[in-house]
Amino acid sequence: GAGVSQSPSNKVTEKGKDVELRCDPISGHTALYWYRQRLGQGLEFLIYFQGNSAPDKSGLPSDRFSAERTGESVSTLTIQRTQQEDSAVYLCASSFDRVNEQFFGPGTRLTVL
Amino acid sequence: ELKVEQNPLFLSMQEGKNYTIYCNYSTTSDRLYWYRQDPGKSLESLFVLLSNGAVKQEGRLMASLDTKARLSTLHITAAVHDLSATYFCAVSNSGGGADGLTFGKGTHLIIQP
């Protein structure tokens, strides 16, 4: 079956612009997660959705970052007024329930010039 | 705050040798995961460990969990070149409910012929 998909795969933007990243989870997965991976680093948790609610927003690095999810489907991560330090790969993952592993998408590589 | 430490962070070994990667975490957790990441690729789930004493094996890889010591190990037996990758352990952030994971910095493994 189809895995987690993300778009775009690459995004180059200028400092100060807004960007929107999209994630399509695996069908039937109620939980959805966003992570950020800087070059050569581990993953940094950003936000988690259960259905379309986000009980854990603790990882969002600043108020320039926001995310929403439509039902148990698509999620978008929006970064406003991008900064160079936002450059990273943004990974989305989904899972069926709390005890199963998270399945990761291919990521969106964001470069802020 | 949950912290996850992996060691070593970099490992170069010869084919046919055995080695162990260690993952320590700082607070009680009920789930630990091992992931593999190839260069430029997303994360592939290897193991999910849910209870003290859990041991799982897949091919030349074996993972174990000691919740009392807050330690997981990933053992590589008779390494082959195809196992070259970065390996991450990740621990759930809370005791219940689907939620974000805290990742170690990863172990960059190179297996030389």
Side-chain angles (χ1 to χ4, degrees), chain A residues 4 14 19-20 26 37 53 55 60 64 75 80 82 93 113:
Chain A
V4 178
E14 294 179 345
V19 295
E20 192 172 277
I26 293 172
Q37 186 176 30
S53 67
L60 292 178
R64 296 187 294 105
S75 175
Q80 295 179 309
T82 52
L113 301 176

Side-chain angles (χ1 to χ4, degrees), chain A residues 36-92:
Chain A
R36 176 169 71 177
Q37 186 176 30
R38 290 197 167 108
L39 186 64
Q41 301 294 313
L43 275 69
E44 174 188 4
F45 168 71
L46 298 179
I47 190 169
Y48 143 65
F49 286 92
Q50 180 62 44
N52 63 0
S53 67
D56 189 355
K57 299 181 181 180
S58 62
L60 292 178
S62 78
D63 59 8
R64 296 187 294 105
F65 287 71
S66 62
E68 61 180 27
R69 187 180 184 194
T70 306
E72 294 184 354
S73 183
V74 172
S75 175
T76 55
L77 176 69
T78 301
I79 309 172
Q80 295 179 309
R81 306 181 302 282
T82 52
Q83 303 294 312
Q84 288 183 333
E85 63 261 28
D86 299 335
S87 295
V89 175
Y90 289 82
L91 290 159
C92 173

Side-chain angles (χ1 to χ4, degrees), chain A residues 33 35 37 48 98 102 105, chain B residues 30-31 37 42 98-99 101:
Chain A
Y33 313 81
Y35 294 88
Q37 186 176 30
Y48 143 65
R98 66 177 292 272
Q102 297 175 19
Chain B
D30 62 351
R31 285 167 287 144
Q37 186 176 38
S42 190
D99 52 22
L101 300 176

Side-chain angles (χ1 to χ4, degrees), chain B residues 19-22 34 46-47 61-63 72-76 87:
Chain B
Y19 210 82
T20 300
I21 300 170
Y22 298 89
W34 284 97
L46 295 175
F47 300 108
L61 300 178
M62 183 173 72
S72 179
T73 60
L74 180 66
H75 187 74
I76 303 158
Y87 293 85

Side-chain angles (χ1 to χ4, degrees), chain B residues 17-90:
Chain B
K17 299 290 186 182
N18 303 333
Y19 210 82
T20 300
I21 300 170
Y22 298 89
C23 175
N24 290 91
Y25 53 99
S26 60
T27 63
T28 300
S29 176
D30 62 351
R31 285 167 287 144
L32 188 140
Y33 304 80
W34 284 97
Y35 287 91
R36 167 181 173 150
Q37 186 176 38
D38 292 294
K41 305 288 187 180
S42 190
L43 276 75
E44 173 190 354
S45 177
L46 295 175
F47 300 108
V48 181
L49 302 170
L50 301 176
S51 61
N52 187 43
V55 177
K56 291 194 175 180
Q57 184 165 3
E58 181 72 32
R60 300 174 187 274
L61 300 178
M62 183 173 72
S64 65
L65 178 61
D66 181 343
T67 58
K68 294 180 181 178
R70 297 177 187 162
L71 170 68
S72 179
T73 60
L74 180 66
H75 187 74
I76 303 158
T77 301
V80 293
H81 179 67
D82 286 352
L83 292 179
S84 297
T86 299
Y87 293 85
F88 292 97
C89 67

